[in-house]
Amino acid sequence: MALVVVCGQPCSGKSTAALCLAEALKESNVKQAVKIINETSFHLDRNQSYADMPAEKNLRGVLRSEVDRSVSEDNIVIVDSLNSIKGYRYELWCLARGAGIRYCVLYCDVEETHCRKWNDERRENGEANYDDKIFEDLVRRFERPISRNRWDSPLFELLPHKDGIEKSSTVILDAVSYLTKEVDSKSRDVKILQPTIATRSTRLSEANSLYELDKATHEVVNAIVEAQGQAMGGPLNGVPLGQDLPTINISKSVGLPELRRLRRTFIKLTGQTSLSGPPPPCDAASAKRMFVDYLNRELGTA
Ligand SMILES: Nc1ncnc2c1ncn2[C@@H]1O[C@H](COP(=O)(O)OP(=O)(O)OP(=O)(O)O)[C@@H](O)[C@H]1O
């Protein structure tokens, strides 16, 4: 019925906010079950989960799979994690769209100095905290949500340092209202991410879009294979794909089977609504841009 992505800097009050929202939803007598998905659901230690890129990617993959399994008409899923990378939030948005449910982002907007202080206090209180090096790295790489992005919208912003986190706060109550409101097709104030299948022409454009996606991702894979051949197995730094497109940055040599697997996953994530919903707005350039961002994230150093 809904997917809520909680995001924010490390130690910014995300879990507290997720719990507050869950409680407020239950108190609103929502019919659906509320489920929180986070690292602790999988008994994952935060320092191990963010120790290096492979561990972090693994964590994101575990959480994404659990979201994929959990989203349905019958529940409200809250993903309580850093969710700090915009491309990853886009992937979660795609899962919500694939399931045909509503979606929103709950952002804990806290200055990093306060997060650092709260993290230090955890240590002083003998609680598990982020190691300093990991904390600073996560702070540096945080990509703040922007409400004009589809995958960051609607955006509910909490200011935990200024206002605290209360289940009766306006922001939490606004989120509850958005998540539980009956859909009014006229006012369109609640967005359900799956319009009905309408016309033949829509289906035709879906097919075109899938074709573009397939072709564009294929071209990117070919460009990587060619560049890797020239780099003799070394890392790829700044391989250009064309004007206004991001460059390819891959830290190690990757075989064709792995590239094909990533391509399939990407197409599934972006194109999975093709049979039941609208196509992603994919011209060739945006398909390439999204795929390169995805690959740089999965295979790169950043
Ligand atoms: N408004 C606040 N004022 C003071 N301390 C706070 C506030 N909100 C949260 N904290 C403290 O910050 C710490 C982190 O809270 P919480 O676990 O909710 O954050 P988090 O963002 O989920 O952390 P993590 O990144 O580890 O998942 C807790 O120790 C809590 O006491």
Side-chain angles (χ1 to χ4, degrees):
M1 187 251 186
L3 174 63
V4 182
V5 173
V6 181
C7 87
Q9 292 280 19
C11 211
S12 58
K14 300 180 298 297
S15 298
T16 314
L19 279 171
C20 270
L21 177 63
E23 274 181 39
L25 280 164
K26 285 175 196 158
E27 284 171 17
S28 77
N29 292 324
V30 67
K31 288 186 231 66
Q32 289 77 12
V34 180
K35 175 176 181 173
I36 296 181
I37 296 175
N38 56 21
E39 287 92 340
T40 44
S41 332
F42 298 92
H43 309 289
L44 292 168
D45 170 77
R46 58 170 72 75
N47 286 314
Q48 280 168 5
S49 300
Y50 293 104
D52 51 31
M53 272 306 143
E56 190 176 325
K57 280 170 198 165
N58 179 56
L59 170 69
R60 286 202 295 270
V62 167
L63 294 177
R64 185 176 51 212
S65 301
E66 185 62 12
V67 170
D68 198 9
R69 271 194 296 274
S70 305
V71 285
S72 77
E73 275 303 308
D74 305 325
N75 61 20
I76 297 177
V77 173
I78 304 174
V79 207
D80 163 28
S81 187
L82 290 178
N83 297 318
S84 57
I85 297 173
K86 67 172 186 283
Y88 184 61
R89 293 196 296 274
Y90 172 74
E91 290 171 18
L92 296 173
W93 179 83
C94 286
L95 294 180
R97 187 181 55 179
I101 55 177
R102 64 189 82 180
Y103 172 95
C104 69
V105 172
L106 181 61
Y107 172 39
C108 290
D109 185 1
V110 182
E111 290 269 340
E112 60 189 67
T113 44
H114 298 302
C115 299
R116 196 173 286 116
K117 182 165 162 279
W118 293 347
N119 190 46
D120 290 344
E121 282 169 6
R122 269 181 176 167
R123 181 176 14 225
E124 285 153 20
N125 296 334
E127 296 165 27
N129 68 318
Y130 290 95
D131 293 344
D132 290 347
K133 195 163 160 261
I134 291 177
F135 179 89
E136 297 305 331
D137 180 50
L138 292 172
V139 164
R140 184 180 57 79
R141 290 190 290 117
F142 182 74
E143 294 178 328
R144 193 186 169 94
I146 300 171
S147 61
R148 65 172 181 274
N149 293 334
R150 286 169 295 158
W151 55 88
D152 289 336
S153 166
L155 181 62
F156 297 96
E157 297 183 72
L158 286 165
L159 299 170
H161 177 251
K162 190 164 151 273
D163 304 332
I165 305 173
E166 303 288 338
K167 63 184 175 190
S168 56
S169 74
T170 316
V171 179
I172 293 285
L173 293 179
D174 284 351
V176 169
S177 160
Y178 181 79
L179 291 165
T180 56
K181 198 186 288 180
E182 291 292 324
V183 180
D184 178 347
S185 58
K186 282 191 197 119
S187 67
R188 304 177 81 197
D189 53 352
V190 173
K191 215 187 298 170
I192 307 289
L193 292 179
Q194 186 188 24
T196 52
I197 303 169
T199 60
R200 199 179 136 70
S201 64
T202 313
R203 295 191 67 80
L204 202 63
S205 65
E206 282 164 17
N208 285 342
S209 172
L210 271 186
Y211 169 76
E212 290 291 0
L213 192 62
D214 194 71
K215 186 163 162 280
T217 52
H218 193 67
E219 283 172 19
V220 171
V221 167
N222 285 347
I224 292 174
V225 170
E226 196 185 320
Q228 285 193 152
Q230 288 167 7
M232 312 279 271
L236 299 183
N237 291 319
V239 174
L241 273 180
Q243 209 185 352
D244 297 332
L245 290 176
T247 55
I248 299 168
N249 297 292
I250 295 181
S251 57
K252 60 178 177 8
S253 178
V254 190
L256 194 53
E258 172 76 349
L259 287 169
R260 284 190 178 137
R261 186 186 64 73
L262 287 162
R263 180 172 168 266
R264 279 197 301 275
T265 307
F266 175 78
I267 289 178
K268 178 173 180 268
L269 282 167
T270 52
Q272 63 181 314
T273 57
S274 58
L275 294 178
S276 52
C282 269
D283 56 280
S286 59
K288 277 186 188 171
R289 190 172 304 118
M290 286 191 290
F291 186 44
V292 172
D293 282 347
Y294 175 75
L295 288 178
N296 286 345
R297 212 165 48 249
E298 292 296 313
L299 302 170
T301 47

